[in-house]
Amino acid sequence: MRDVAVVGFAQAPAVRETHGTTNGVEMLVPVFHEVLGALGLTKSDIGFWCSGSSDYVAGRAFSFIAAVDAIGAFPPINESHVEADAAWACYEAWVKIQTGEVDVALVYGFGKSSAGKLRRVMTMQLDPYTVAPLWPDSLSVAGLQARAGLDRGAWTEQQMAEVAARSRADAKSNPRAQVKGDVSVEDLLARPYLADPLRRHDCAPITDGAAALVLAAGDRARELAERPAWITGIAHRVDSANLGGRDLTASPSTAGAAKAAGLDHKVDVAELHAPFTHQELVLRGALGLNGSRINPSGGALCGNPMFSAGLIRIGEAARQISSGQADRALAHATSGPALQHNLVCLMEGRD
Amino acid sequence: MTSLSAPLNVEFDYTRSLGPVLGRFITGLRDRRIEGIRGDDGRVHVPPVEYDPVTARKLTEWVEVAAAGTVRTWTWVSEPDEGQPLTRPFAWALIQLDGADTSMLHAVDVPSPDDIRTGMRVRVRWAADPVGSMHDIACFEPGEAVEAQAGQGEAVTMVTTPVRLAYTHSASAEETRYLDGLREGRLLGQRCPVCRKVYIPPRGACPTDGVPTVDEVELPDHGTVTTFCIVNVPFLGQRIAPPYVAAYVLLDGADIAFQHLILGCDASSVRMGMRVEAVWRPREEWQQSLANIDHFEPSGEPDAPFETYSQHL
Amino acid sequence: MAGQLAAVIGTGQTDHTAKRLDVSMGGLCREAIDRALADANVDWPDIDAVVLGKAPDMFEGVMMPELFLADALGAVGKPLLRVHTAGSVGGSTANVAATLVQSGVHRRVLAVAFEKQSESNAMWALSIPTPFTMPVHAGAGGYFAPHVRSYIRRAGAPEHIGAMVAAKDRRNGALNPHAHLKQPDITVESVRASKMLWDPIRYDETCPSSDGACAVVIADEKTAGPGAAWITATAMRTEPTTFAGRDQVNPRAGRDAAAALWKQAGIDDPLTQVDAAEIYVPFSWFEPMWLENLGFTGIGDGWKLTEAGETEIGGQLPVNPSGGVLSSNPIGASGMIRFAEAAMQVMGRAGAHQVPGARVALGHAYGGGSQYFAMWTVSANKPS
């Protein structure tokens, strides 16, 4: 395997609503400018581009096509697109670099969640024969998962609120976060249910956003970054789609991805893509994280731009390494209802 | 500046063919009977799965299960949404029917979240008029199974699933400026600061340079047909009787053509290079739309030489 | 070729038709997958990862359908990747699957692509009126027909070329058991007599709307046995849909992709070194257009190859011996079918539409407004 590192990352501010189009162009132009500018690169230095986005978030077929305008994709670019969080685009780009065909790749994701009614849009991910026709929404599916753990004693509402309070406090130092501030667990638990057993603080906000990340191989990475975040392993796994046929309080696909990525000892920091508080608890269990700093960025609970929130976890974890705050970091991304599809990326700094 | 926005409704009734496994299950629901399928590990899946989640093998062994079962987990819906089984607040639950090893998702009709708990026994409330869909189970309700009048009829092979999603579509700031111009009968393009090409409509990012177009350029309402086709085919939502011409029109001073209609002459007389001018709708009908130009028609000028538009094909 | 060796060891397709009302989406995919696994002589435990390609989710009304299909795709507990690059997606999906092997990450990868157009109406999904955008009222062929006219003008091509392509592809389709349209008796005259829909495109020169799926199994050097189709090059290129001065007839993204492809494959004279080509031709005239774009002929000469009959089975460069997109068009799968058919040719498994002695073949796909290109070359000869 070639040595590949995250060498650059930029993110649009996570906000409730932007005023641009659903094709991401207005959000992406400044993000590309920032990430390439910081590395002293231009578009012609990028050997491979890969993006993640969703037609259903945009409400239009082929919504990702116009996004390449933000690149200025002429002369033509070597490019691919995943209909998934851009963390999977990052995986595809990492694979591409492993073939030896390219040395530098730029990965981006975008989504204007505010364009539609997000929780109802996400219903479209469910089994179209026996589940989606009933229109359960994404909050309800998460609520079923949360209750399963509560009733089994796997977690408590107190623990869920603690996740929210810690995330919001950490987000205070994240200029891109949408939700932040000091709040007490008692106050949170005194608030009403949004979708019993979920309260508002248990759910990620609705966020418009975009992000871009640059991967580079070997010496190219060492030229571009003072302290590259070397990817020591990246893998993903999917679970059964049958919500009533799997244990919703566990995440075998997360555990499987971590194993395949080579998670064998402690990481200093973990950025987990948990759009619901209880999902962080599921993930921590699946990853066996003890004593690691969780989500210093505030995580998806403080800003959840659809289709880039997973990529942002990789970018934030890489930033912990490049800034010298961590030597070993784990990033996780999720996709699908109730943590169905999970990706784990392990990174380290080398001095 | 504020961008224009407008509703965008994505609505379609999907017609889903079910295949043998789901077809048999839905046929059963229509007949007030619930059947599951046995997996390779012996588990009975309800709803049935076509392929085993572990071995991926095609499953074929059917098992009839009860119309009552146990709530395995639930969540509360205080504001029901369009298409859901109940219009008053209700619970979603994963319900493990007696005889099944997996749980199915459905609604439980209880007055409040205080009236449901994990472990509670619930039974099917059948829809009065089954049609062959998941909605043939109207919902679940507290209680044990009761004998239902079984129906029988033709096998259900298809379900229709209406999808209704409402979006707000926004124009970019550049496009908004252009649309506002159209309302005043003006054709406003913008020049890319890098390549100096004039785009109409203007762009949030010049597609070759990745920067917004900026300098405004007002364009005339006449230009050249670069290429075209003659539409002979009728289709849904068509506005004009065929044959008619859909053409790329390159306005004088623009560096990119847009598609529009060429009317006011025989379709067969339209040529590449033909000079055309806009025919505007009455001013009182003008909106923020290129449709303010009803169509283009020949201007009577001599055709443009091929070299003048050959780079726009 | 980049990275480690990879080869197609099995392919499978559904029986494509307008409406496959006898199967679910999972069942449709499995018809192709089960045939591919059998053709490759492998079973589920042998598959390390699954890659699924499909065109817009709105065609079937399911957001990221690979998620609900995970069980049917045999992907549970495995990596499952979803590719979407517009109409080229079937080809891109095969290319992405190939990189999973070429990178050394996996040994055997299953790539699947499908479209079940009968779940909705593709025209509806593609033409949901976008606010502030004036509908052009041109219909499905209205986008491409003007560019075909531009080609005819630029190349000085005679009017009957499109009909020749259509008649050839439909006759070839009649040799292919999976083809949606089988018209053994079609002639150039009958095509020219069919209704003119989007002048210059006639009814018989347009692709059908199909339900269908395709799957390929790609394996590493250790796993691939004799008879595999070695992937000797892959290429993908994208350019924006519209920009000032864009060449819509001969897009640079296609030219660049082809140049990269031939270089990687070590091919310097494609016309003599390629034995069969499966080229994405949804409207007949795109055969000569892509022959030029791909570099098989000089600019303006593509139609001459067609007119000389050299693109028929038995000609110098048989193009679309399977019948091509003009005979079957399950959109998301159409690109992969081209890639799979290319592999079948060099594996000698193309049955009645086999090009005798084919050793090197091209699979090609494009999408969007001719802006996404994906291609691969496969060879019966193992690269040294």
Side-chain angles (χ1 to χ4, degrees):
Chain A
M1 290 284 133
R2 300 179 79 193
D3 279 342
V4 177
V6 177
V7 295
F9 172 63
Q11 176 195 344
V15 294
R16 176 62 182 83
E17 186 172 4
T18 54
H19 296 288
T21 60
T22 54
N23 61 32
V25 164
E26 295 85 352
M27 293 189 287
L28 287 167
V29 165
V31 168
F32 289 156
H33 188 79
E34 181 184 339
V35 76
L36 292 173
L39 294 168
L41 297 177
T42 66
K43 63 185 180 185
S44 59
D45 295 308
I46 304 299
F48 183 65
W49 303 75
C50 199
S51 61
S53 69
S54 163
D55 280 354
Y56 263 108
V57 168
R60 301 170 66 190
F62 299 122
S63 60
F64 60 92
I65 282 183
V68 302
D69 286 6
I71 297 168
F74 195 82
I77 56 173
N78 187 2
E79 191 238 2
S80 188
H81 172 260
V82 297
E83 194 83 357
D85 188 285
W88 276 265
C90 183
Y91 177 81
E92 186 179 327
W94 175 83
V95 169
K96 188 76 166 181
I97 295 175
Q98 290 301 335
T99 66
E101 190 186 328
V102 301
D103 293 329
V104 182
L106 190 147
V107 180
Y108 64 98
F110 61 94
K112 188 181 173 181
S113 306
S114 66
K117 185 176 178 183
L118 185 63
R119 56 194 282 186
R120 184 174 169 87
V121 167
M122 299 307 285
T123 301
M124 302 304 291
Q125 284 189 336
L126 299 167
D127 179 291
Y129 306 102
T130 63
V131 185
L134 303 173
W135 288 96
D137 67 19
S138 52
L139 257 61
S140 296
V141 171
L144 291 169
Q145 184 181 32
R147 170 89 58 206
L150 290 168
D151 284 350
R152 190 175 299 180
W155 53 75
T156 64
E157 292 186 25
Q158 165 96 14
Q159 288 174 313
M160 290 161 63
E162 284 167 4
V163 168
R166 189 210 67 228
S167 299
R168 291 178 182 200
D170 282 337
K172 286 190 298 177
S173 58
N174 178 358
R176 302 293 190 192
Q178 179 181 356
V179 178
K180 57 181 86 175
D182 291 311
V183 57
S184 78
V185 170
E186 292 67 36
D187 281 353
L188 291 177
L189 288 173
R191 292 180 193 173
Y193 288 116
L194 185 63
D196 185 350
L198 300 175
R199 295 178 174 87
R200 189 165 296 283
H201 67 253
D202 292 310
C203 312
I206 294 167
T207 308
D208 290 356
L213 178 148
V214 175
L215 295 176
D219 288 343
R220 196 80 178 95
R222 281 179 276 270
E223 282 165 28
L224 289 168
E226 222 166 277
R227 195 164 195 259
W230 297 101
I231 295 174
T232 59
I234 181 169
H236 62 105
R237 294 289 185 273
V238 71
D239 287 320
S240 168
N242 193 356
L243 289 172
R246 63 181 171 99
D247 177 0
L248 295 176
T249 67
S251 183
S253 58
T254 300
K259 185 167 178 237
L263 178 63
D264 55 5
H265 48 286
K266 189 171 167 292
V267 293
D268 303 318
V269 63
E271 279 281 343
L272 307 179
H273 184 193
F276 297 91
T277 51
H278 67 275
Q279 293 182 341
E280 180 187 305
L281 301 169
V282 175
L283 294 168
R284 274 157 53 179
L287 294 165
L289 295 176
N290 286 314
S292 303
R293 176 100 196 270
I294 308 288
N295 290 355
S297 68
L301 289 168
C302 299
N304 187 35
M306 295 301 293
F307 294 81
S308 60
L311 181 71
I312 290 168
R313 307 279 73 75
I314 300 175
E316 289 284 5
R319 196 175 263 166
Q320 290 288 320
I321 287 172
S322 58
S323 67
Q325 287 165 290
D327 290 326
R328 304 178 64 85
L330 178 151
H332 158 270
T334 197
S335 178
L339 297 175
Q340 188 191 349
H341 195 183
N342 295 283
L343 179 146
V344 171
C345 177
L346 298 173
M347 289 168 279
E348 66 177 25
R350 293 172 193 162
D351 295 308
Chain B
M1 96 183 253
T2 312
S3 295
L4 279 174
S5 61
L8 170 61
N9 295 317
V10 175
E11 305 188 338
F12 197 82
D13 290 351
Y14 286 88
T15 49
R16 308 214 177 281
S17 51
L18 294 166
V21 172
L22 296 160
R24 178 163 166 173
F25 174 68
I26 296 289
T27 301
L29 294 187
R30 198 270 321 274
D31 296 342
R32 298 184 171 167
R33 181 181 73 244
I34 305 177
E35 286 187 289
I37 206 158
R38 193 180 299 281
D40 284 334
D41 54 5
R43 287 194 300 164
V44 174
H45 296 266
V46 181
V49 293
E50 298 179 88
Y51 302 94
D52 189 88
V54 181
T55 65
R57 209 178 57 87
K58 186 175 183 169
L59 299 179
T60 52
E61 187 188 338
W62 288 86
V63 181
E64 186 157 349
V65 300
T70 304
V71 170
R72 291 303 177 203
T73 181
W74 62 275
T75 184
W76 191 250
V77 179
S78 47
E79 290 174 39
D81 200 0
E82 186 190 345
Q84 294 179 342
L86 293 162
T87 52
R88 55 182 174 271
F90 67 94
W92 290 116
L94 283 171
I95 298 152
Q96 186 180 352
L97 296 176
D98 299 344
D101 295 291
T102 68
S103 302
M104 72 188 296
L105 190 149
H106 219 296
V108 181
D109 187 12
V110 284
S112 81
D114 298 331
D115 300 300
I116 184 165
R117 60 185 167 74
T118 295
M120 191 166 90
R121 297 286 297 166
V122 290
R123 67 181 172 215
V124 169
R125 182 191 297 164
W126 295 105
D129 300 306
V131 296
S133 104
M134 277 307 285
H135 288 279
D136 290 352
I137 296 177
C139 63
F140 283 76
E141 61 191 18
E144 293 296 337
V146 288
E147 197 75 9
Q149 185 79 41
Q152 193 146 25
E154 294 277 299
V156 180
T157 60
M158 304 280 295
V159 291
T160 300
T161 307
V163 170
R164 311 252 176 278
L165 296 171
Y167 295 86
T168 300
H169 177 85
S170 301
S172 66
E174 293 76 11
E175 192 185 2
T176 298
R177 177 83 190 125
Y178 153 81
L179 292 165
D180 285 343
L182 282 168
R183 192 172 48 189
E184 300 161 10
R186 302 169 69 200
L187 293 163
L188 300 179
Q190 285 181 2
R191 196 183 293 279
C192 168
V194 179
C195 66
R196 310 299 297 162
K197 301 286 188 190
V198 172
Y199 277 86
I200 183 162
R203 307 281 277 253
C206 166
T208 60
D209 298 294
V211 295
T213 56
V214 278
D215 302 335
E216 195 158 280
V217 181
E218 184 156 359
L219 295 164
D221 66 352
H222 45 84
T224 302
V225 170
T226 59
T227 187
F228 65 96
C229 73
I230 304 172
V231 180
N232 276 299
V233 59
F235 53 84
L236 205 67
Q238 202 165 29
R239 187 161 74 84
I240 312 159
Y244 57 89
V245 170
Y248 284 92
V249 175
L250 181 67
L251 296 180
D252 293 351
D255 289 298
I256 191 159
F258 55 70
Q259 260 191 315
H260 218 302
L261 299 170
I262 309 296
L263 303 175
C265 62
D266 268 357
S268 58
S269 69
V270 175
R271 307 170 297 279
M272 292 172 72
M274 182 186 245
R275 296 284 296 162
V276 291
E277 61 191 12
V279 176
W280 294 79
R281 291 189 189 198
R283 179 179 291 263
E284 57 273 19
E285 292 176 20
W286 286 356
Q287 300 172 340
Q288 285 149 318
S289 169
L290 184 58
N292 295 349
I293 295 178
D294 185 77
H295 59 272
F296 283 79
E297 66 179 18
S299 68
E301 300 163 80
D303 285 2
F306 186 65
E307 316 79 69
T308 62
Y309 61 89
S310 64
Q311 297 308 305
H312 298 276
L313 296 176
Chain C
M1 196 209 66
Q4 309 188 26
L5 289 182
V8 177
I9 60 168
T11 69
Q13 292 178 51
T14 52
D15 298 323
H16 317 305
T17 188
K19 293 174 190 282
R20 281 297 304 269
L21 301 184
D22 58 322
V23 288
S24 64
M25 286 178 255
L28 186 76
C29 289
R30 279 296 289 266
E31 186 172 305
I33 292 170
D34 291 347
R35 287 171 178 173
L37 295 181
D39 190 45
N41 195 26
V42 297
D43 200 356
W44 286 110
D46 304 320
I47 299 298
D48 301 325
V50 182
V51 186
L52 182 109
K54 215 199 72 57
D57 288 358
M58 282 173 192
F59 283 178
E60 286 82 8
V62 186
M63 180 178 181
M64 303 156 73
E66 65 281 4
L67 293 169
F68 99 87
L69 288 170
D71 303 72
L73 297 173
V76 173
K78 295 175 181 176
L80 171 62
L81 204 55
R82 160 71 187 284
V83 179
H84 179 14
T85 60
S88 68
V89 66
S92 307
T93 303
N95 276 354
V96 170
T99 64
L100 286 171
V101 174
Q102 291 166 338
S103 61
V105 174
H106 293 302
R107 296 191 58 193
R108 287 187 211 85
V109 177
L110 171 68
V112 190
F114 85 99
E115 205 72 69
K116 199 158 184 311
Q117 295 200 59
S118 65
E119 301 275 310
S120 71
N121 174 322
M123 269 314 296
W124 165 82
L126 295 178
S127 58
I128 298 170
T130 309
F132 316 122
T133 304
M134 182 196 70
V136 184
H137 300 283
Y143 182 85
F144 290 107
H147 306 313
V148 166
R149 180 179 305 278
S150 299
Y151 171 74
I152 293 170
R153 167 78 181 259
R154 276 164 49 167
E159 177 255 359
H160 63 272
I161 299 298
M164 287 187 70
V165 173
K168 166 191 65 95
D169 282 4
R170 293 280 166 75
R171 281 198 309 268
N172 287 350
L175 303 172
N176 175 357
H178 300 296
H180 175 177
L181 297 179
K182 300 185 178 75
Q183 300 176 342
D185 301 324
I186 196 169
T187 63
V188 174
E189 291 66 38
S190 71
V191 175
R192 292 174 79 182
S194 71
K195 185 171 166 57
M196 189 64 93
L197 299 186
W198 294 277
D199 191 337
I201 297 177
R202 292 187 172 82
Y203 177 76
D204 278 350
E205 296 176 276
T206 64
C207 56
S209 171
S210 317
D211 283 353
C214 181
V216 297
V217 181
I218 298 174
D220 68 356
E221 186 178 5
K222 267 190 195 151
T223 313
W230 296 96
I231 300 165
T232 50
T234 64
M236 279 152 70
R237 290 293 184 275
T238 303
E239 68 184 42
T241 325
T242 61
F243 59 87
R246 176 165 190 236
D247 189 338
Q248 303 251 26
V249 172
N250 188 14
R252 178 153 167 204
R255 280 185 280 141
D256 286 6
L261 188 83
W262 302 135
K263 185 171 177 225
Q264 217 181 98
I267 289 172
D268 43 32
D269 181 7
L271 188 57
T272 60
Q273 289 171 273
V274 175
D275 302 316
E278 284 281 344
I279 303 177
Y280 203 105
V281 176
F283 300 101
S284 61
W285 279 96
F286 277 83
E287 174 175 303
M289 288 163 70
W290 293 150
L291 285 171
E292 296 174 25
N293 189 247
L294 284 161
F296 283 111
T297 72
I299 301 303
D301 292 338
W303 63 270
K304 294 172 188 165
L305 203 67
T306 301
E307 189 178 47
E310 297 292 356
T311 59
E312 308 226 16
I313 298 174
Q316 187 178 11
L317 178 73
V319 174
N320 294 328
S322 69
V325 180
L326 282 171
S327 299
S328 316
N329 186 31
I331 301 176
S334 290
M336 189 175 288
I337 295 171
R338 309 278 71 70
F339 279 49
E341 287 283 352
M344 287 159 63
Q345 288 292 341
V346 302
M347 294 162 99
R349 298 183 197 170
H353 62 281
Q354 177 70 45
V355 172
R359 302 288 294 172
V360 175
L362 165 75
H364 162 276
Y366 84 99
S370 301
Q371 68 195 114
Y372 287 89
F373 291 84
M375 28 192 104
W376 78 8
T377 51
V378 284
S379 173
N381 310 316
K382 184 174 171 179
S384 44

PDB file of all heavy atoms in Angstrom, chain C residues 269-282:
ATOM      1  N   ASP C 269      -2.620   2.552 -32.589  1.00  0.00           N
ATOM      2  CA  ASP C 269      -3.498   2.638 -33.758  1.00  0.00           C
ATOM      3  C   ASP C 269      -4.786   1.867 -33.441  1.00  0.00           C
ATOM      4  O   ASP C 269      -4.916   0.689 -33.784  1.00  0.00           O
ATOM      5  CB  ASP C 269      -2.785   2.049 -34.986  1.00  0.00           C
ATOM      6  CG  ASP C 269      -3.658   2.148 -36.235  1.00  0.00           C
ATOM      7  OD1 ASP C 269      -4.733   2.788 -36.166  1.00  0.00           O
ATOM      8  OD2 ASP C 269      -3.265   1.569 -37.268  1.00  0.00           O
ATOM      9  N   PRO C 270      -5.717   2.530 -32.776  1.00  0.00           N
ATOM     10  CA  PRO C 270      -6.904   1.819 -32.273  1.00  0.00           C
ATOM     11  C   PRO C 270      -7.647   1.051 -33.360  1.00  0.00           C
ATOM     12  O   PRO C 270      -8.114  -0.066 -33.117  1.00  0.00           O
ATOM     13  CB  PRO C 270      -7.793   2.927 -31.704  1.00  0.00           C
ATOM     14  CG  PRO C 270      -6.934   4.110 -31.548  1.00  0.00           C
ATOM     15  CD  PRO C 270      -5.728   3.946 -32.411  1.00  0.00           C
ATOM     16  N   LEU C 271      -7.736   1.621 -34.557  1.00  0.00           N
ATOM     17  CA  LEU C 271      -8.546   0.985 -35.591  1.00  0.00           C
ATOM     18  C   LEU C 271      -8.008  -0.406 -35.954  1.00  0.00           C
ATOM     19  O   LEU C 271      -8.777  -1.328 -36.190  1.00  0.00           O
ATOM     20  CB  LEU C 271      -8.605   1.878 -36.839  1.00  0.00           C
ATOM     21  CG  LEU C 271      -9.581   1.420 -37.929  1.00  0.00           C
ATOM     22  CD1 LEU C 271     -11.005   1.293 -37.390  1.00  0.00           C
ATOM     23  CD2 LEU C 271      -9.539   2.381 -39.111  1.00  0.00           C
ATOM     24  N   THR C 272      -6.711  -0.552 -35.962  1.00  0.00           N
ATOM     25  CA  THR C 272      -6.177  -1.871 -36.310  1.00  0.00           C
ATOM     26  C   THR C 272      -5.943  -2.740 -35.081  1.00  0.00           C
ATOM     27  O   THR C 272      -5.929  -3.963 -35.186  1.00  0.00           O
ATOM     28  CB  THR C 272      -4.842  -1.739 -37.083  1.00  0.00           C
ATOM     29  OG1 THR C 272      -3.913  -1.042 -36.247  1.00  0.00           O
ATOM     30  CG2 THR C 272      -5.029  -0.987 -38.378  1.00  0.00           C
ATOM     31  N   GLN C 273      -5.783  -2.110 -33.908  1.00  0.00           N
ATOM     32  CA  GLN C 273      -5.423  -2.905 -32.723  1.00  0.00           C
ATOM     33  C   GLN C 273      -6.621  -3.324 -31.881  1.00  0.00           C
ATOM     34  O   GLN C 273      -6.490  -4.156 -30.990  1.00  0.00           O
ATOM     35  CB  GLN C 273      -4.424  -2.130 -31.872  1.00  0.00           C
ATOM     36  CG  GLN C 273      -3.047  -2.035 -32.538  1.00  0.00           C
ATOM     37  CD  GLN C 273      -2.129  -1.090 -31.796  1.00  0.00           C
ATOM     38  OE1 GLN C 273      -2.129   0.111 -32.034  1.00  0.00           O
ATOM     39  NE2 GLN C 273      -1.359  -1.635 -30.865  1.00  0.00           N
ATOM     40  N   VAL C 274      -7.791  -2.717 -32.113  1.00  0.00           N
ATOM     41  CA  VAL C 274      -8.991  -3.093 -31.363  1.00  0.00           C
ATOM     42  C   VAL C 274      -9.855  -3.968 -32.265  1.00  0.00           C
ATOM     43  O   VAL C 274     -10.102  -3.641 -33.426  1.00  0.00           O
ATOM     44  CB  VAL C 274      -9.762  -1.832 -30.909  1.00  0.00           C
ATOM     45  CG1 VAL C 274     -11.078  -2.216 -30.232  1.00  0.00           C
ATOM     46  CG2 VAL C 274      -8.902  -1.006 -29.962  1.00  0.00           C
ATOM     47  N   ASP C 275     -10.314  -5.097 -31.717  1.00  0.00           N
ATOM     48  CA  ASP C 275     -11.055  -6.068 -32.529  1.00  0.00           C
ATOM     49  C   ASP C 275     -12.567  -5.883 -32.459  1.00  0.00           C
ATOM     50  O   ASP C 275     -13.286  -6.328 -33.356  1.00  0.00           O
ATOM     51  CB  ASP C 275     -10.711  -7.491 -32.075  1.00  0.00           C
ATOM     52  CG  ASP C 275      -9.215  -7.767 -32.166  1.00  0.00           C
ATOM     53  OD1 ASP C 275      -8.616  -7.383 -33.183  1.00  0.00           O
ATOM     54  OD2 ASP C 275      -8.662  -8.334 -31.206  1.00  0.00           O
ATOM     55  N   ALA C 276     -13.053  -5.299 -31.379  1.00  0.00           N
ATOM     56  CA  ALA C 276     -14.494  -5.069 -31.235  1.00  0.00           C
ATOM     57  C   ALA C 276     -14.698  -3.907 -30.283  1.00  0.00           C
ATOM     58  O   ALA C 276     -13.910  -3.722 -29.343  1.00  0.00           O
ATOM     59  CB  ALA C 276     -15.185  -6.314 -30.680  1.00  0.00           C
ATOM     60  N   ALA C 277     -15.755  -3.136 -30.520  1.00  0.00           N
ATOM     61  CA  ALA C 277     -16.015  -1.985 -29.660  1.00  0.00           C
ATOM     62  C   ALA C 277     -17.483  -1.948 -29.276  1.00  0.00           C
ATOM     63  O   ALA C 277     -18.353  -2.093 -30.139  1.00  0.00           O
ATOM     64  CB  ALA C 277     -15.622  -0.687 -30.377  1.00  0.00           C
ATOM     65  N   GLU C 278     -17.726  -1.801 -27.990  1.00  0.00           N
ATOM     66  CA  GLU C 278     -19.090  -1.574 -27.511  1.00  0.00           C
ATOM     67  C   GLU C 278     -19.149  -0.111 -27.088  1.00  0.00           C
ATOM     68  O   GLU C 278     -18.592   0.288 -26.062  1.00  0.00           O
ATOM     69  CB  GLU C 278     -19.416  -2.518 -26.350  1.00  0.00           C
ATOM     70  CG  GLU C 278     -19.707  -3.944 -26.803  1.00  0.00           C
ATOM     71  CD  GLU C 278     -21.128  -4.107 -27.366  1.00  0.00           C
ATOM     72  OE1 GLU C 278     -21.972  -3.220 -27.128  1.00  0.00           O
ATOM     73  OE2 GLU C 278     -21.384  -5.118 -28.058  1.00  0.00           O
ATOM     74  N   ILE C 279     -19.802   0.693 -27.916  1.00  0.00           N
ATOM     75  CA  ILE C 279     -19.809   2.145 -27.765  1.00  0.00           C
ATOM     76  C   ILE C 279     -21.221   2.585 -27.431  1.00  0.00           C
ATOM     77  O   ILE C 279     -22.192   2.073 -28.004  1.00  0.00           O
ATOM     78  CB  ILE C 279     -19.297   2.823 -29.063  1.00  0.00           C
ATOM     79  CG1 ILE C 279     -17.888   2.308 -29.389  1.00  0.00           C
ATOM     80  CG2 ILE C 279     -19.303   4.333 -28.929  1.00  0.00           C
ATOM     81  CD1 ILE C 279     -17.320   2.850 -30.697  1.00  0.00           C
ATOM     82  N   TYR C 280     -21.330   3.534 -26.514  1.00  0.00           N
ATOM     83  CA  TYR C 280     -22.640   3.989 -26.034  1.00  0.00           C
ATOM     84  C   TYR C 280     -23.297   4.862 -27.120  1.00  0.00           C
ATOM     85  O   TYR C 280     -22.957   6.021 -27.296  1.00  0.00           O
ATOM     86  CB  TYR C 280     -22.425   4.796 -24.758  1.00  0.00           C
ATOM     87  CG  TYR C 280     -23.602   4.912 -23.828  1.00  0.00           C
ATOM     88  CD1 TYR C 280     -23.635   4.170 -22.633  1.00  0.00           C
ATOM     89  CD2 TYR C 280     -24.659   5.775 -24.073  1.00  0.00           C
ATOM     90  CE1 TYR C 280     -24.682   4.290 -21.738  1.00  0.00           C
ATOM     91  CE2 TYR C 280     -25.714   5.894 -23.188  1.00  0.00           C
ATOM     92  CZ  TYR C 280     -25.721   5.161 -22.024  1.00  0.00           C
ATOM     93  OH  TYR C 280     -26.758   5.289 -21.139  1.00  0.00           O
ATOM     94  N   VAL C 281     -24.241   4.256 -27.843  1.00  0.00           N
ATOM     95  CA  VAL C 281     -24.883   4.929 -28.980  1.00  0.00           C
ATOM     96  C   VAL C 281     -26.399   4.913 -28.777  1.00  0.00           C
ATOM     97  O   VAL C 281     -27.077   3.995 -29.234  1.00  0.00           O
ATOM     98  CB  VAL C 281     -24.500   4.229 -30.309  1.00  0.00           C
ATOM     99  CG1 VAL C 281     -25.235   4.865 -31.488  1.00  0.00           C
ATOM    100  CG2 VAL C 281     -22.991   4.288 -30.547  1.00  0.00           C
ATOM    101  N   PRO C 282     -26.946   5.902 -28.073  1.00  0.00           N
ATOM    102  CA  PRO C 282     -28.392   5.919 -27.817  1.00  0.00           C
ATOM    103  C   PRO C 282     -29.183   6.474 -28.999  1.00  0.00           C
ATOM    104  O   PRO C 282     -30.371   6.222 -29.120  1.00  0.00           O
ATOM    105  CB  PRO C 282     -28.526   6.827 -26.597  1.00  0.00           C
ATOM    106  CG  PRO C 282     -27.353   7.741 -26.667  1.00  0.00           C
ATOM    107  CD  PRO C 282     -26.256   6.988 -27.371  1.00  0.00           C
TER     108      PRO C 282
END
